[in-house]
Amino acid sequence: MPNMSLKKNPMPAQEPDVRNKNFYEVTFGYTAETAIDEAKRCLNCKNKPCMGGCPVRIHIPEFIQKVAEGEFEEAYHIIQQTSSLPAVCGRVCPQETQCEQKCVRGIKGEPVAIGRLERFVADWHNANSCDLPVKAEPNGHKAAVIGSGPAGLTCAGDLAKRGYDVTVFEALHLAGGVLVYGIPEFRLPKAIVQKEIDNLKALGVKIETNMVIGRVLSIDELMDEYGFETVFIGSGAGLPRFMNIPGENLKSVYSANEFLTRVNLMKAYKEDSRTPVLHAKKVCVVGGGNVAMDAARSAKRLGAEEVTIVYRRSRAELPARAEEVEHAEEEGIVFKFLTNPTAIVEGENGMVAGMTCVEMELGEPDASGRRRPVVKEGSEFNIECDAVIMALGTSPNPLIKNTTKGLETQKWGGIIADEHGQTSREGVFAGGDAVTGAATVILAMGAGKAAAEAMDEYVKNKAAR
Amino acid sequence: MYKIVKKRELNPTVTLMEVDAPFVARKAEPGQFIILRVDEEGERIPLTVADFDRKKGTVTIIFQIVGGTTERLNHLNEGDFIQDFVGPLGEPSHTEGLKKVAVVGGGVGCAIAYPVAKKLHEQGAQVHSVVGFRNKDLVILEEEFSAVSDVFKMMTDDGSYGEKGLVTDALKALIEAGNEYDEVIAIGPVVMMKFVSLLTKQYGIKTVVSMNPIMIDGTGMCGCCRLTVAGKTRFACVDGPDFDGHEVDYDEILKRASTYKEFEAKEREKACNLFKKEVR
């Protein structure tokens, strides 16, 4: 009997006023009982519209049926056929605009909680199964992947499943890209990321850390000297933007990337961390994306009494996930909409004393279709704060572009690639934020997946010639 | 993991280490740097490449013990391993086409200035070196430096070795004596680089300085190392570390460098206590 409840089973979570003081995961996940119960809400539609909303096309109704039957390990194997990082995606995907948006149950009532079920299955597998993934039969071909973020890891996993000898080159000392340095522990525990990476290693994927491609080795060297027949560039968009306003280089002004890297990758939130981070009392975060939410919520957890998100458009235009905005509000983050900083005020000893802002109003739509914010005359005011975090977005790092002959890029630095990831260089593919500019984890994974398929085809065609 | 193949104390607070890092050694050029993490819990710190041996696959670093991490690093010995060692990072120093250069090194900055002087010497440029230390006990790399210099001036603040005075005194004397330099390259404490730049500006001599702001990743993803050059924000880890000395905002750099002073003092104490216990 299907469960005809109009609502999703709720997700148990830490109380807002408790969780805003620790870095433990906010939500606890479903139990076996609530997962089975939720799975029974799925109608197992014939045309499976949910799958069309998933960038890696997980066989959603199939795995959910297995959950309903209590066959969790089988459910995992179904997900694993198409997704390499289910424990991550179940947590950080914006399901409301992807799989769940297409769910038939969502027409009247709430859609099936596909993301929560995916997360449950992956966590169950990681906690209960000792099965090592079966390594594919080697096909004798070598592939290199640059960057170990979601795009690179997915591409590497898919290539390994096809029998490739895959090496991932990572610039930092830990693999995971934005999953380890960007998304905080309280949204995505690092032990879970590590477990997913271990699963990939068990598939035969080699990961070389401390390798900055473009400095240590070039793409040409990888192909000509080291015998990699095809290369995937998944180096992301890690270059932070600043506003170029006065006072931006004061001591307690951070880019969100710096702040989050200190807190997440270097674990500066821990008492005994050897990497320092300033514990400010009144923090302003400039921007409205997920990164701004992560930075604000992290600052609060480091002990800030007041954290304000300053955004130049209105609530309706916030690019962050609805759930993250709600979580932030519950945790006491203050939002100041239609507000734009014009200067950061210097206090004692080179620290921040406040931020000068102007009020905005929404004018005509701009090229992106969003109404352009314009300054209200004479609306200048000051917000008192002792630290500012700039979360204005990022663009691709120019290092690979500058060191790879014949690799065409957009004016803003994004690598030009078709929908299969093919770049202007033969055998070189690219995907994720390196191509699109800052986007989502799952889009990067979809791009990694598409590229793996195209790379496989390329290598096979070349071998056949 | 990266093996320490040689360790030598250059003076009581400055240590040289030769580290097995073949990928770094293959590409490293003077002016570039590496980022290391001593162990699993370690922070990432930048250190300049002081020398490299492409055949042996080793890279030499020279560091001054100033805080918790350098204290811990100094506690490692030959045969021990450094957890992470990544590079070469940053842009190499531009030495092409220079015929006559004054290289000015201050304190442990001489470790960074030396490979640049060496490369210039190998290219056949005339190298005039001015090195400065607080006192005789702190002198490093004297032999190495003088071997690649056509003129070599040793200065100490207290006159306990070489001439008494600052590097700017010696540089001024050389300029006044009629030496015409294509470029002055100054590497040392920020205050020293600031005053060298102020001096050379008077004579209109192009001056390059090497910046050493706080860094985390060293690959351009965080902007922690940003500084203002000619009114524009630049990232020292990817745009530098070398910049036009006449365009750099030194006062801003000095302020930013002090951001974690209190934390650093505590870290150093923690590291010292740790090793005291081990000795007992």
Side-chain angles (χ1 to χ4, degrees):
Chain A
M1 260 310 277
N3 169 357
M4 290 315 288
S5 161
L6 292 181
K7 290 208 163 244
K8 289 178 183 179
N9 272 336
M11 191 77 149
Q14 287 192 65
E15 287 302 319
D17 203 35
V18 174
R19 70 177 191 240
N20 68 7
K21 293 172 188 68
N22 67 56
F23 276 82
Y24 298 118
E25 192 168 18
V26 166
T27 51
F28 299 120
Y30 281 166
T31 61
E33 289 73 30
T34 46
I36 291 173
D37 189 54
E38 179 65 27
K40 286 180 177 163
R41 291 185 65 228
C42 173
L43 301 176
N44 199 8
C45 314
K46 216 181 233 166
N47 58 349
K48 308 177 188 359
C50 51
M51 277 181 68
C54 173
V56 297
R57 299 187 68 81
I58 291 175
H59 299 286
I60 294 167
E62 265 181 67
F63 99 76
I64 292 184
Q65 289 317 301
K66 290 296 171 195
V67 177
E69 292 162 20
E71 302 285 352
F72 304 139
E73 186 63 13
E74 283 187 34
Y76 179 78
H77 287 304
I78 292 167
I79 297 175
Q80 214 223 353
Q81 287 166 16
T82 52
S83 171
S84 299
L85 309 164
V88 172
C89 286
R91 286 175 165 81
V92 304
C93 272
Q95 288 100 6
E96 66 272 20
T97 61
Q98 296 180 332
C99 55
E100 293 182 19
Q101 191 186 34
K102 303 272 173 84
C103 175
V104 169
R105 292 297 306 267
I107 299 168
K108 195 180 157 202
E110 290 184 346
V112 175
I114 301 167
R116 293 174 185 177
L117 289 173
E118 182 189 18
R119 165 181 167 168
F120 166 78
V121 168
D123 287 356
W124 190 92
H125 167 83
N126 285 342
N128 295 295
S129 171
C130 311
D131 292 0
L132 284 178
V134 187
K135 270 194 203 181
E137 199 59 40
N139 69 4
H141 295 291
K142 273 176 83 178
V145 170
I146 300 166
S148 66
L153 291 178
T154 303
C155 184
D158 276 29
L159 288 169
K161 285 176 194 165
R162 288 176 153 95
Y164 283 83
D165 176 0
V166 186
T167 307
V168 179
F169 294 96
E170 166 57 45
L172 292 172
H173 59 264
L174 261 185
V178 77
L179 307 176
V180 294
Y181 77 74
I183 304 175
E185 181 77 17
F186 57 83
R187 275 216 294 141
L188 180 63
K190 300 308 150 224
I192 283 164
V193 180
Q194 193 50 53
K195 180 75 194 173
E196 300 275 51
I197 288 168
D198 290 345
N199 288 340
L200 282 177
K201 283 187 183 160
L203 280 173
V205 172
K206 282 172 268 183
I207 299 185
E208 299 284 346
T209 53
N210 295 333
M211 294 291 273
V212 185
I213 301 303
R215 292 271 189 219
V216 181
L217 286 172
S218 67
I219 287 180
D220 292 279
E221 285 170 315
L222 285 175
M223 297 182 89
D224 301 343
E225 291 176 36
Y226 289 84
F228 290 101
E229 294 154 79
T230 181
V231 176
F232 175 75
I233 306 170
S235 48
L239 197 73
R241 285 195 204 119
F242 287 95
M243 294 187 80
N244 299 315
I245 56 174
E248 212 169 12
N249 292 346
L250 289 170
K251 270 167 29 176
S252 43
V253 180
Y254 287 105
S255 73
N257 262 13
E258 181 191 347
F259 183 70
L260 291 172
T261 299
R262 285 180 181 275
V263 173
N264 300 326
L265 178 70
M266 307 312 297
K267 306 204 178 313
Y269 66 88
K270 290 188 174 169
E271 190 93 340
D272 60 352
S273 167
R274 285 193 222 144
T275 300
V277 69
L278 293 172
H279 293 243
K281 288 291 155 222
K282 285 185 176 179
V283 180
C284 278
V285 179
V286 184
N290 287 322
V291 174
M293 302 304 137
D294 286 344
R297 296 170 71 194
S298 297
K300 185 86 185 176
R301 283 162 170 78
L302 289 177
E305 289 152 12
E306 209 176 286
V307 180
T308 308
I309 287 187
V310 173
Y311 182 54
R312 65 195 183 118
R313 300 179 198 251
S314 69
R315 172 181 283 270
E317 286 85 16
L318 274 179
R321 283 189 71 187
E323 189 183 299
E324 303 310 326
V325 176
E326 275 164 38
H327 278 162
E329 280 183 319
E330 286 169 9
E331 289 165 14
I333 309 296
V334 179
F335 286 77
K336 256 192 155 358
F337 294 108
L338 291 165
T339 303
N340 205 29
T342 53
I344 300 167
V345 184
E346 181 166 354
E348 258 173 65
N349 194 20
M351 299 287 281
V352 171
M355 196 161 75
T356 310
C357 299
V358 285
E359 286 175 34
M360 312 292 282
E361 49 198 356
L362 293 180
E364 295 299 307
D366 62 12
S368 73
R370 295 189 298 181
R371 292 175 67 193
R372 190 195 300 273
V374 285
V375 178
K376 253 197 230 172
E377 284 303 318
S379 63
E380 205 172 271
F381 69 103
N382 192 58
I383 305 179
E384 197 188 308
C385 59
D386 55 359
V388 174
I389 301 170
M390 292 290 177
L392 308 156
T394 51
S395 50
N397 190 311
L399 198 50
I400 286 181
K401 173 189 90 181
N402 292 347
T403 55
T404 310
K405 280 171 279 166
L407 185 72
E408 284 170 24
T409 56
Q410 314 271 7
K411 236 191 279 165
W412 49 269
I415 296 169
I416 296 173
D418 68 14
E419 71 265 37
H420 307 292
Q422 176 66 56
T423 68
S424 55
R425 278 281 305 267
E426 193 195 321
V428 179
F429 295 76
D433 289 2
V435 169
T436 58
T440 61
V441 168
I442 191 71
L443 281 176
M445 292 182 57
K449 197 168 192 62
E453 207 178 312
M455 289 162 84
D456 184 35
E457 211 164 289
Y458 164 78
V459 171
K460 278 185 185 149
N461 284 341
K462 207 177 148 202
R465 254 187 264 150
Chain B
M1 302 282 269
Y2 304 79
K3 193 175 184 178
I4 299 165
V5 294
K6 192 168 118 190
K7 180 184 179 185
R8 185 154 64 96
E9 278 183 14
L10 298 186
N11 75 32
T13 63
V14 177
T15 303
L16 174 151
M17 275 180 184
E18 200 178 322
V19 181
D20 185 41
F23 276 110
V24 187
R26 251 184 104 213
K27 288 279 178 74
E29 290 288 344
Q32 290 189 298
F33 65 94
I34 59 97
I35 293 237
L36 65 76
R37 266 197 336 146
V38 174
D39 55 37
E40 277 286 0
E41 283 77 47
E43 63 171 339
R44 296 169 67 97
I45 62 158
L47 289 170
T48 307
V49 171
D51 211 346
F52 47 83
D53 188 326
R54 302 217 203 276
K55 269 200 198 130
K56 269 168 75 188
T58 59
V59 174
T60 301
I61 49 172
I62 293 175
F63 59 93
Q64 184 163 25
I65 304 156
V66 289
T69 295
T70 41
E71 185 84 51
R72 284 182 160 92
L73 181 59
N74 193 47
H75 201 68
L76 297 179
N77 290 307
E78 282 175 16
D80 289 343
F81 290 86
I82 295 172
Q83 179 75 30
D84 295 295
F85 193 90
V86 53
L89 300 170
E91 288 294 321
S93 298
H94 295 288
T95 49
E96 299 80 38
L98 297 177
K99 297 274 180 284
K100 188 172 178 179
V101 183
V103 178
V104 184
V108 74
C110 290
I112 311 168
Y114 164 65
V116 180
K118 184 174 145 191
K119 186 166 183 194
L120 284 164
H121 176 73
E122 282 166 3
Q123 285 176 2
Q126 218 189 108
V127 179
H128 291 191
S129 298
V130 178
V131 297
F133 299 90
R134 265 186 293 139
N135 60 54
K136 188 183 180 206
D137 297 337
L138 300 178
V139 171
I140 58 168
L141 299 174
E142 184 185 1
E143 265 174 50
E144 288 89 340
F145 230 120
S146 60
V148 298
S149 307
D150 300 279
V151 171
F152 182 77
K153 296 268 179 204
M154 167 69 69
M155 308 295 290
T156 49
D157 292 3
D158 62 359
S160 52
Y161 195 60
E163 280 175 51
K164 183 177 159 73
L166 302 171
V167 288
T168 39
D169 301 330
L171 181 63
K172 189 172 180 185
L174 284 169
I175 297 168
E176 298 275 289
N179 286 297
E180 284 181 16
Y181 299 114
D182 300 334
E183 200 171 297
V184 170
I185 299 173
I187 304 168
V190 176
V191 176
M192 181 210 96
M193 293 190 280
K194 177 181 170 174
F195 281 99
V196 168
S197 299
L198 285 173
L199 173 74
T200 56
K201 195 158 190 186
Q202 292 169 24
Y203 296 96
I205 308 169
K206 188 186 172 193
T207 299
V208 172
V209 293
S210 175
M211 286 298 136
N212 52 354
I214 304 174
M215 285 188 191
I216 311 215
D217 61 287
T219 64
M221 64 169 255
C222 84
C224 176
C225 65
R226 66 193 187 274
L227 68 164
T228 306
V229 182
K232 282 201 183 117
T233 294
R234 309 289 297 272
F235 292 2
C237 73
V238 288
D239 301 323
D242 288 359
F243 291 101
D244 182 337
H246 296 152
E247 304 279 9
V248 168
D249 183 342
Y250 294 100
D251 296 337
E252 181 185 275
I253 290 167
L254 284 169
K255 274 184 199 162
R256 280 187 71 79
S258 70
T259 307
Y260 301 105
K261 225 172 169 176
E262 280 172 47
F263 179 94
E264 282 159 1
K266 271 187 223 149
E267 265 305 299
R268 168 131 205 219
E269 206 183 303
K270 249 165 51 188
C272 289
N273 288 338
L274 185 77
F275 298 130
K276 263 188 234 149
K277 255 181 246 155
E278 278 178 24
V279 173
R280 265 182 239 146

